[in-house]
């Protein structure tokens, strides 16, 4: 919303005051000369009103055209300025009230039309004298004056309207006027050219004037249909937001006419885990979420910005006037904060995370398609780095071929079952006994070398390979668990399960087959899920966990405290443990604030009958403090680093027999 002292507000007030004052003066001066109002006057006035009430949108032009123009121009030629100004003011007021336009817009429209018609009348009188509309009617020598009058109306009207539009969008006034000249001059000239014939027909054959409305009505209908088709071609049918084509057009305009040295920026957004919403809640609820996201984005940005849905769960925001990359990054932060607030869809609160890529003109390109492409490149980098937002850098372009190589190599490694697991022990804090191990997948490719899990695990989830990767990890973990049991070191193995895999109805059956194949008992296998899984679909997650518990598989919530879990949901879930995120454990040594959070989580878990596991324990002082707070178990380098299966077996033998009982 512009401030009260902004240039736009001052402009609107000055134009409105000047135009309304002129309206009062003109109507007052002409009141004594109006004379009896004949049928011709009332008919033309009615057509002016109808033309204002039913505007048309001309393809490719800015704003609307009204069919009031030829009838108003005819009134100017026949009656004069006071009459046309009065009729036009009433018609404009009626149309704006029906259209529910704001008061400042109504007053501005009245004012700028009054000034425009007054200027046209002044030129007409100056060049045409009293012969126009006189006893001899319109003559050929009057045509230059008529043409000049129409040109002045167009120039004055366009200048007032486009200056206001430029101030709203904070873009170049010259650019708007140039666009108006290109797009509107032809349609305006056509409408003004109808004015003299309407005047002549009204003077000589009044009964034929209504017939002129018929072809105009046909043009109105055709233009409306063309406008609807154009809207469908340039807007997303679900959200009604501009689509990629319209975004590209507006980006090109913003690049072409920068304001005061400011450039344009494009922000590309991708919603995280949206496919899970579609898969679990259904496509209708997914569509409802997209509509809500689009609406919130539109309410977050400026009136001059463009929010677009470019495809699927991807949106883009055009910032046509930004001071530089710092302002664009600040806008990205604002958008991410807005999206972090829960959305209510089908009675459930859904939290939406997003990754944002930023590209600025002219720094990152002076072509609309290039700018959008580079914003999407930066967005992909933000998803991979889990950094939420990234500003485009040229070296990002070189990463695309490497991603293709990674996907191909990952698919080959999964097909050839060329993955390894390392295991990190979980230790009971009070007795120091091992209560389980967590399986951590590792991949070393012949050509690529060691690829970190933070790279290939998210890649597997994005490329549809998560299920194949999870099945391979479960198989390796089951085989190692059987080997340790046969060596006298039976210990539960925990495997991380991605959201999409957990919500697959076939998962419990596959896990049961795995247990049967490796002869695993009910204490041999555990799973870990993230809080994001609960957000995606609480009901289906609860059902999947219940089925797994029924076949003897324990479960825990990993990285607890970093998501948006509802305590009510947590109470209903058939889980056995909470794993406290390492970020809270690292804060434990920093004083009261860090300890307060950890204590609260431990007390919450105890009240719910859940076991607590602290992640990332690396200092003895932290281990002692956790034990004092009543935390049940811990993981971390202090207690044991991840190690291959063979070394894990040796470590288990060296540390003594694992604990045989766990909290249910």
């Amino acid at each position: 919303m512009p401030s009260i002292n902004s240039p736009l507000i001052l402009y609107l007030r000055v134009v409105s005051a000047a135009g309304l004052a002129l309206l009062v003066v003109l109507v007052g001066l002409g009141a004594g000369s109006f004379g009896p109002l004949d049928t011709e006057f009332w008919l033309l006035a009615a057509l002016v009103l109808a033309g204002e009430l039913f505007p048309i949108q001309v393809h490719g032009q800015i704003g609307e055209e009204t069919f009031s123009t030829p009838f108003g121009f005819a009134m100017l030629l026949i009656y004069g300025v006071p009459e046309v100004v009065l009729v036009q003011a009433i018609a404009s007021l009626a149309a704006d009230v029906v259209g529910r336009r704001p008061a400042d817009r109504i007053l501005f429209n009245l004012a700028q039309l009054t000034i425009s018609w007054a200027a046209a009348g002044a030129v007409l009188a100056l060049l045409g004298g009293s012969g126009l509309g006189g006893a001899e009617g319109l003559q050929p020598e009057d045509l230059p004056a008529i043409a000049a009058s129409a040109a002045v109306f167009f120039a004055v009207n366009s200048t007032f309207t486009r200056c206001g539009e430029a101030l709203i969008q904070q873009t170049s006034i010259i650019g708007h006027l140039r666009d108006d000249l290109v797009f509107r001059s032809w349609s305006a000239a056509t409408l003004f050219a109808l004015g003299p014939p309407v005047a002549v027909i009204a003077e000589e054959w009044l009964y034929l004037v209504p017939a002129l409305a018929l072809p105009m009505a046909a043009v109105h209908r055709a233009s409306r249909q063309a406008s609807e088709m154009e809207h469908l071609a340039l807007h997303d049918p679900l959200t009604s937001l501009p689509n990629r084509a319209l975004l590209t057009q507006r980006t090109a305009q913003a690049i072409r006419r920068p304001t005061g040295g400011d450039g344009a920026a494009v922000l590309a957004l991708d919603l995280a885990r949206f496919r899970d919403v579609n898969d679990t809640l259904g496509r209708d609820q997914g569509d409802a979420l997209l509509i809500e996201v689009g609406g919130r984005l539109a309410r977050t940005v400026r009136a001059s910005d463009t929010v677009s849905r470019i495809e699927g769960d991807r949106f883009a925001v055009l910032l046509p006037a930004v001071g530089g990359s710092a302002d664009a990054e600040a806008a990205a932060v604002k958008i991410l904060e807005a999206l972090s607030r829960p959305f209510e869809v089908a009675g459930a609160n859904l939290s939406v995370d997003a990754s944002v890529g930023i590209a600025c003109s002219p720094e990152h390109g002076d072509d609309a398609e290039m700018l959008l492409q580079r914003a999407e490149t930066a967005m992909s980098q933000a998803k991979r780095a889990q950094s939420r937002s990234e500003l485009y850098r040229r070296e990002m372009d070189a990463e695309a071929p490497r991603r293709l190589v990674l996907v191909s190599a990952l698919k080959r490694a999964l097909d050839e079952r060329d993955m390894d697991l390392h295991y990190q022990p979980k230790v009971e804090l009070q007795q120091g006994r091992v209560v389980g191990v967590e399986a951590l997948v590792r991949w070393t490719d012949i050509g690529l070398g060691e690829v970190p899990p933070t790279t290939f695990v998210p890649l597997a989830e994005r490329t549809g390979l998560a299920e194949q990767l999870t099945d391979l990890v479960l198989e390796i973990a089951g085989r190692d668990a059987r080997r340790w049991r046969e060596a006298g070191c039976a210990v539960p193995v925990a495997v991380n399960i991605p959201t999409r895999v957990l919500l697959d109805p076939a998962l419990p059956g596959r896990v049961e087959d795995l247990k049967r194949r490796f002869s695993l008992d009910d204490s041999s296998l555990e799973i870990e899920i993230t809080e994001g899984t609960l957000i995606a679909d609480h009901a289906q997650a609860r059902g999947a966990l219940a089925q797994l518990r029924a076949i003897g598989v324990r479960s825990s919530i990993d990285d607890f405290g970093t998501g948006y879990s509802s305590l009510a949901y947590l109470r209903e879930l058939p889980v056995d443990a909470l794993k406290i995120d390492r970020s809270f454990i690292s804060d434990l040594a920093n004083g009261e604030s860090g300890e307060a959070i950890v204590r609260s989580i431990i007390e919450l878990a105890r009240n719910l009958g859940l076991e607590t596991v602290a992640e990332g324990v690396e200092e003895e002082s932290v281990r002692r403090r956790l034990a004092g707070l009543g935390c049940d178990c811990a993981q971390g380098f202090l207690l044991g680093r991840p190690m291959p299966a063979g070394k894990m077996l040796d470590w288990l033998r060296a540390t003594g027999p694992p604990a045989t009982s766990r909290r249910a």
Side-chain angles (χ1 to χ4, degrees):
M1 186 72 179
S3 66
I4 196 167
N5 294 318
S6 72
L8 174 62
I9 295 297
L10 294 175
Y11 172 76
L12 293 176
R13 289 183 174 179
V14 169
V15 173
S16 298
L20 294 177
L22 181 60
L23 175 63
V24 171
V25 170
L26 290 174
V27 174
L29 291 176
S33 60
F34 278 165
L37 301 177
D38 53 17
T39 304
E40 183 180 353
F41 175 89
W42 289 113
L43 181 58
L44 290 175
L47 291 171
V48 169
L49 176 61
E52 285 289 333
L53 289 174
F54 301 101
I56 62 171
Q57 177 73 52
V58 180
H59 177 75
Q61 90 171 29
I62 304 169
E64 297 173 328
E65 287 290 2
T66 63
F67 277 129
S68 66
T69 302
F71 302 112
F73 199 33
M75 292 192 74
L76 175 66
L77 297 176
I78 296 172
Y79 296 99
V81 173
E83 287 84 356
V84 71
V85 163
L86 177 61
V87 170
Q88 181 70 76
I90 294 173
S92 176
L93 177 62
D96 284 348
V97 170
V98 170
R100 297 184 177 181
R101 293 185 173 92
D104 56 352
R105 172 79 177 273
I106 294 175
L107 295 177
F108 177 79
N109 286 342
L110 284 173
Q112 59 102 1
L113 285 170
T114 297
I115 297 172
S116 300
W117 281 120
V123 170
L124 192 63
L126 181 65
L127 299 180
S130 59
L132 292 173
E136 298 180 358
L138 298 178
Q139 300 298 315
E141 56 268 24
D142 298 327
L143 293 180
I146 293 174
S149 175
V152 167
F153 180 95
F154 174 75
V156 174
N157 182 264
S158 293
T159 299
F160 279 130
T161 304
R162 303 315 157 195
C163 284
E165 187 176 88
L167 288 172
I168 290 174
Q169 297 184 5
Q170 301 178 6
T171 52
S172 168
I173 293 176
I174 300 300
H176 280 272
L177 292 175
R178 182 175 59 247
D179 287 343
D180 226 21
L181 180 63
V182 171
F183 290 111
R184 293 189 66 236
S185 57
W186 176 253
S187 58
T190 302
L191 292 174
F192 273 107
L194 294 172
V198 170
V200 172
I201 293 173
E203 288 282 270
E204 300 295 334
W205 304 286
L206 182 61
Y207 61 89
L208 291 178
V209 172
L212 295 173
L214 295 177
M216 292 186 180
V219 172
H220 178 273
R221 181 178 179 182
S223 66
R224 186 180 184 88
Q225 291 175 341
S227 178
E228 290 173 353
M229 294 298 294
E230 182 182 16
H231 185 274
L232 290 174
L234 296 176
H235 289 79
D236 171 51
L238 175 65
T239 63
S240 295
L241 293 173
N243 61 14
R244 191 185 189 100
L246 184 53
L247 175 71
T248 303
Q249 289 182 18
R250 293 184 179 178
T251 303
Q253 292 174 358
I255 293 173
R256 188 170 65 248
R257 54 184 192 204
T259 302
D262 289 346
V266 174
L267 278 57
L269 296 86
D270 182 272
L271 304 183
R273 301 187 302 274
F274 174 75
R275 187 178 297 177
D276 295 332
V277 176
N278 260 353
D279 291 347
T280 56
L281 296 183
R283 187 169 296 276
D284 288 345
Q285 303 309 325
D287 288 348
L289 178 59
L290 290 175
I291 293 171
E292 290 294 323
V293 168
R296 186 174 295 183
L297 287 173
R299 293 189 296 271
T300 301
V301 301
R302 305 169 299 179
S304 58
D305 301 332
T306 295
V307 175
S308 168
R309 182 187 176 208
I310 51 179
E311 64 175 346
D313 60 346
R314 292 191 173 188
F315 294 79
V317 178
L318 166 65
L319 310 176
V322 290
S325 58
D327 288 348
E329 289 179 295
V333 170
K334 183 179 179 182
I335 287 171
L336 288 169
E337 289 176 350
L339 293 179
S340 67
R341 299 192 298 273
F343 292 82
E344 185 173 345
V345 176
N349 286 329
L350 302 180
S351 294
V352 172
D353 289 329
S355 301
V356 181
I358 306 165
C360 302
S361 175
E363 180 182 354
H364 302 134
D366 54 4
D367 174 81
E369 285 286 0
M370 178 184 297
L371 205 61
L372 180 55
Q373 177 186 341
R374 288 181 170 175
E376 291 179 306
T377 298
M379 176 193 68
S380 298
Q381 174 61 28
K383 289 180 64 176
R384 289 191 299 275
Q386 298 181 338
S387 57
R388 304 199 73 193
S389 69
E390 288 282 345
L391 183 67
Y392 170 80
R393 302 184 305 277
R394 293 195 180 276
E395 55 265 29
M396 290 179 180
D397 289 331
E399 296 176 5
R402 184 174 184 272
R403 288 197 301 274
L404 293 176
V405 173
L406 268 175
V407 172
S408 177
L410 178 59
K411 182 67 168 65
R412 184 175 61 250
L414 291 173
D415 289 341
E416 297 175 358
R417 317 188 77 73
D418 188 18
M419 292 275 177
D420 296 313
L421 293 186
H422 285 197
Y423 299 90
Q424 186 171 30
K426 289 187 284 188
V427 176
E428 192 178 51
L429 286 173
Q430 298 299 332
Q431 302 295 328
R433 298 178 301 174
V434 178
V435 294
V437 297
E438 179 182 359
L440 304 170
V441 63
R442 297 291 186 262
W443 174 35
T444 301
D445 183 79
I446 295 177
L448 299 172
E450 185 175 339
V451 184
T454 53
T455 296
F456 71 82
V457 172
L459 184 64
E461 295 181 7
R462 291 196 303 271
T463 55
L465 298 174
E467 181 178 311
Q468 190 176 356
L469 175 60
T470 303
D471 286 347
L472 178 57
V473 170
L474 284 169
E475 181 175 346
I476 298 173
R479 184 171 58 244
D480 289 338
R482 181 177 64 181
R483 174 187 170 191
W484 296 334
R485 187 196 62 214
E486 292 173 348
C489 293
V491 62
V493 180
V495 175
N496 290 278
I497 303 293
T499 300
R500 174 178 294 278
V501 177
L502 176 71
L503 301 181
D504 180 359
L507 176 66
R510 297 204 305 270
V511 173
E512 190 169 20
D513 289 343
L514 177 78
K515 290 182 61 181
R516 187 182 303 111
R517 181 153 39 105
F518 291 110
S519 303
L520 301 179
D521 58 30
D522 287 352
S523 63
S524 297
L525 194 62
E526 301 179 1
I527 67 165
E528 296 183 2
I529 61 172
T530 63
E531 286 186 86
T533 305
L534 311 181
I535 297 168
D537 187 343
H538 170 72
Q540 191 164 342
R542 181 177 58 188
L545 293 173
Q547 289 182 355
L548 289 169
R549 172 177 278 187
I551 61 174
V553 177
R554 284 169 47 95
S555 59
S556 60
I557 299 177
D558 198 12
D559 301 330
F560 184 78
T562 59
Y564 302 93
S565 292
S566 164
L567 295 182
Y569 286 176
L570 189 61
R571 186 175 61 248
E572 298 171 359
L573 284 172
V575 296
D576 302 284
L578 301 182
K579 298 189 70 175
I580 307 172
D581 187 68
R582 66 181 62 247
S583 62
F584 300 122
I585 303 305
S586 63
D587 288 341
L588 194 60
N590 298 333
E592 295 293 331
S593 60
E595 181 174 311
I597 295 174
V598 174
R599 180 189 295 112
S600 298
I601 295 175
I602 293 172
E603 290 178 356
L604 169 66
R606 183 181 296 116
N607 292 333
L608 294 175
L610 303 178
E611 182 181 86
T612 50
V613 181
E615 297 182 289
V617 177
E618 300 181 1
E619 300 176 22
E620 176 60 28
S621 60
V622 172
R623 188 199 67 78
R624 289 197 302 268
R625 191 69 198 115
L626 285 167
L629 292 173
C631 183
D632 297 302
C633 307
Q635 279 181 262
F637 289 174
L638 176 70
L639 305 167
R641 292 176 175 270
M643 59 194 84
K647 290 186 177 180
M648 186 74 244
L649 177 57
D650 294 339
W651 190 90
L652 289 172
R653 286 169 171 163
T655 55
T660 57
S661 62
R662 301 281 299 279
R663 178 186 298 180

